Amino acid sequence: MWSKVNISEWTARRKGTLSEVRQPVEDIINNVRNNGDSALFELTERFDKVKRDSIKVSREEIEKAYESVDPSLIEALKTSKKNIEAFHLMQRPSDMWLKEVCPGLTLGVKTTPIESVGAYIPGGRASYPSTVLMCTVPAKVAGVRKVVCCTPPPINPLTLVAADLAGVDEIYAVGGAQAIAAMALGTESVEPVQKIVGPGNVFVTTAKFMLKDTVEIDFPAGPSEIAILADETADPKFAAADIMAQAEHDPNAACILVTTSQKLADSVGSEIEKMLPLAQRKEIIEKSLNNAGYVVSDSLSDAIDSINEIAPEHLSIQVADPLSALNKIKHAGSIFVGRYAPVACGDYASGTNHVLPTAGYASTYSGLDVMHFMKRSSVQIIEREGLDRIGDTVETLSSAEGLFAHCNSVKIRRQN
């Protein structure tokens, strides 16, 4: 179960293939497109074994959820929300900045929120109130006018409470590819949104890709993963605990240790063997550990090269000089520095976002942040003096391109 792996083979295996589920997802999308709410009711009953009278969650259901949630859990959600809000407020740019670059020519950027966002919240094996906060609090910080959530029924009360605390405008009891189709295309009950964010299984991810010409999406966010960069100074118990934590997410979760020490790799394997029999989600972890393994590198530099090749969703750095290693990391979704920085802190309470690109997409995508919910417009304020400064350049280049009306739009102003 715990053995040496080939990085290229491990990376290819975790990517999987979306094409395997393309046809059933396409059938679901067409069903929702053609039949609206009736398709959502039918698919919810088929896949989730739940029959509901309405797609939208009522205020009464939300109030009832509060009654069944322990007050200490509500306080924990409030603390998590506060920290997420604080971190993402630091990311939010000013609404507009302007700078005079030369007399008569002022340039700048105006940043505005998008109008509506749909957040997909997974269900099934566990409740994910933390994901509700991660997907929706940054949207609210950005100033998105309407934020909605879709999540499979039956919905855990914690999920409903988290959505309410985050200020979500509407909650829909629908999951899977059909939820993505509903938010993208709209139905009688669900208004279409401009952008869909949030993690999900292969069906959800495939639906997002298939509908991205209709609706903007964030990035591929599939089964969770961790890479641990460690040397001989790392504590094998800590590394093993981090692997177990990631493995309990999903049978398809992927975990890899990249180390300079064979002794550490062996010790981590021994610690996993000790922890596994005591794990409450043992069945899931056992399956996930089939996707786990380690790589022993000749040097820390080689190990860092391997991490950059993997481009992991989560990266834990457990080496003697972690900040030096951090400076050399190019590709990772979220980075946890030092032996006392478990990924679980980023999942719940540090304030950073845990909705991250998986399967190597951290090499080209950033994790969810405020800018996923905003757009930028360039601004130019040009006075007569500024037009004269750049007018000759515009006239010369536009004429060279044969766009003579462009040239004239400048020339006519300079002649008057």
Side-chain angles (χ1 to χ4, degrees):
M1 181 167 56
W2 180 251
S3 60
K4 188 175 292 187
V5 295
N6 177 281
I7 284 183
S8 297
E9 292 176 0
W10 184 86
T11 299
R13 187 168 67 246
R14 79 186 162 130
K15 280 186 177 294
T17 175
L18 301 182
S19 62
E20 293 176 0
V21 300
R22 184 177 180 85
Q23 189 56 56
V25 169
E26 186 174 359
D27 292 341
I28 289 170
I29 291 171
N30 287 333
N31 190 356
V32 174
R33 178 183 282 112
N34 296 328
N35 300 304
D37 278 0
S38 63
L40 299 183
F41 285 123
E42 183 261 317
L43 292 166
T44 297
E45 193 169 353
R46 187 201 310 175
F47 294 127
D48 301 305
K49 312 303 179 189
V50 174
K51 189 170 185 177
R52 285 183 57 91
D53 296 326
S54 66
I55 303 297
K56 185 179 177 180
V57 174
S58 67
R59 187 67 214 175
E60 183 181 358
E61 289 178 89
I62 296 170
E63 295 297 337
K64 190 175 179 181
Y66 273 98
E67 295 172 7
S68 63
V69 174
D70 189 287
S72 65
L73 286 174
I74 296 176
E75 287 305 309
L77 286 173
K78 288 180 179 178
T79 299
S80 180
K81 181 204 169 190
K82 180 182 177 181
N83 291 348
I84 294 166
E85 199 169 53
F87 177 72
H88 289 83
L89 274 168
M90 290 189 286
Q91 299 174 355
R92 197 187 192 286
S94 58
D95 290 340
M96 184 166 64
W97 61 264
L98 297 168
K99 182 177 178 61
E100 188 177 59
V101 295
C102 64
L105 180 57
T106 299
L107 304 179
V109 172
K110 178 175 171 57
T111 307
T112 53
I114 60 179
E115 287 289 310
S116 60
V117 168
Y120 184 81
I121 312 301
R125 292 185 177 86
S127 63
Y128 296 101
S130 58
T131 301
V132 176
L133 299 179
M134 296 292 179
C135 288
T136 61
V137 171
K140 288 293 183 177
V141 169
V144 176
R145 180 183 59 81
K146 184 174 182 180
V147 179
V148 306
C149 282
C150 278
T151 190
I155 306 175
N156 190 291
L158 265 176
T159 299
L160 293 180
V161 170
D164 192 57
L165 290 174
V168 171
D169 297 287
E170 293 175 5
I171 308 166
Y172 301 111
V174 57
Q178 59 270 29
I180 304 302
M183 290 190 285
L185 304 170
T187 71
E188 297 91 331
S189 297
V190 185
E191 289 186 18
V193 298
Q194 290 182 309
K195 186 168 187 173
I196 297 174
V197 302
N201 62 20
V202 67
F203 292 91
V204 169
T205 301
T206 301
K208 286 167 71 175
F209 269 107
M210 292 179 69
L211 287 162
K212 67 179 182 177
D213 288 338
T214 302
V215 65
E216 180 69 19
I217 66 171
D218 46 7
F219 43 75
S224 196
E225 59 195 36
I226 185 174
I228 300 174
L229 174 66
D231 61 14
E232 69 281 355
T233 67
D235 189 320
K237 290 188 181 70
F238 294 175
D242 290 341
I243 288 168
M244 293 285 287
Q246 215 61 34
E248 76 171 343
H249 269 291
D250 186 284
N252 294 314
C255 309
I256 190 168
L257 170 70
V258 181
T259 181
T260 55
S261 169
Q262 180 67 56
K263 181 180 178 182
L264 177 73
D266 294 338
S267 297
V268 170
S270 297
E271 293 297 334
I272 290 173
E273 288 180 10
K274 293 176 188 175
M275 294 176 182
L276 186 57
L278 305 175
Q280 291 180 295
R281 292 165 68 85
K282 179 182 175 182
E283 184 178 343
I284 293 172
I285 294 172
E286 282 183 322
K287 292 178 180 177
S288 175
L289 287 176
N290 290 326
N291 307 318
Y294 66 87
V295 173
V296 178
S297 299
D298 292 333
S299 66
L300 186 58
S301 179
D302 288 346
I304 291 171
D305 288 344
S306 294
I307 291 295
N308 285 326
E309 179 184 345
I310 293 167
E313 177 191 22
H314 302 100
L315 170 62
S316 173
I317 301 179
Q318 301 181 34
V319 298
D321 187 359
L323 292 180
S324 176
L326 174 64
N327 285 332
K328 298 170 185 174
I329 298 299
K330 298 177 182 177
H331 309 306
S334 189
I335 305 172
F336 297 79
V337 181
R339 60 166 54 197
Y340 297 108
V343 169
C345 287
D347 285 341
Y348 296 106
S350 68
T352 60
N353 207 296
H354 78 205
V355 180
L356 304 162
T358 59
Y361 285 103
S363 62
T364 51
Y365 289 92
S366 302
L368 201 64
D369 61 21
V370 164
M371 291 313 301
H372 279 92
F373 303 102
M374 306 191 82
K375 59 191 188 303
R376 293 176 291 271
S377 303
S378 57
V379 177
Q380 42 263 298
I381 301 173
I382 306 175
E383 298 171 6
R384 177 57 189 259
E385 185 179 2
L387 182 62
D388 285 339
R389 281 178 173 271
I390 63 173
D392 289 344
T393 299
V394 177
E395 290 180 29
T396 299
L397 292 176
S398 59
S399 296
E401 290 188 352
L403 298 177
F404 302 110
H406 281 63
C407 176
N408 188 57
S409 70
V410 174
K411 186 178 292 184
I412 199 171
R413 284 173 166 82
R414 298 177 74 190
Q415 293 173 346
N416 288 276

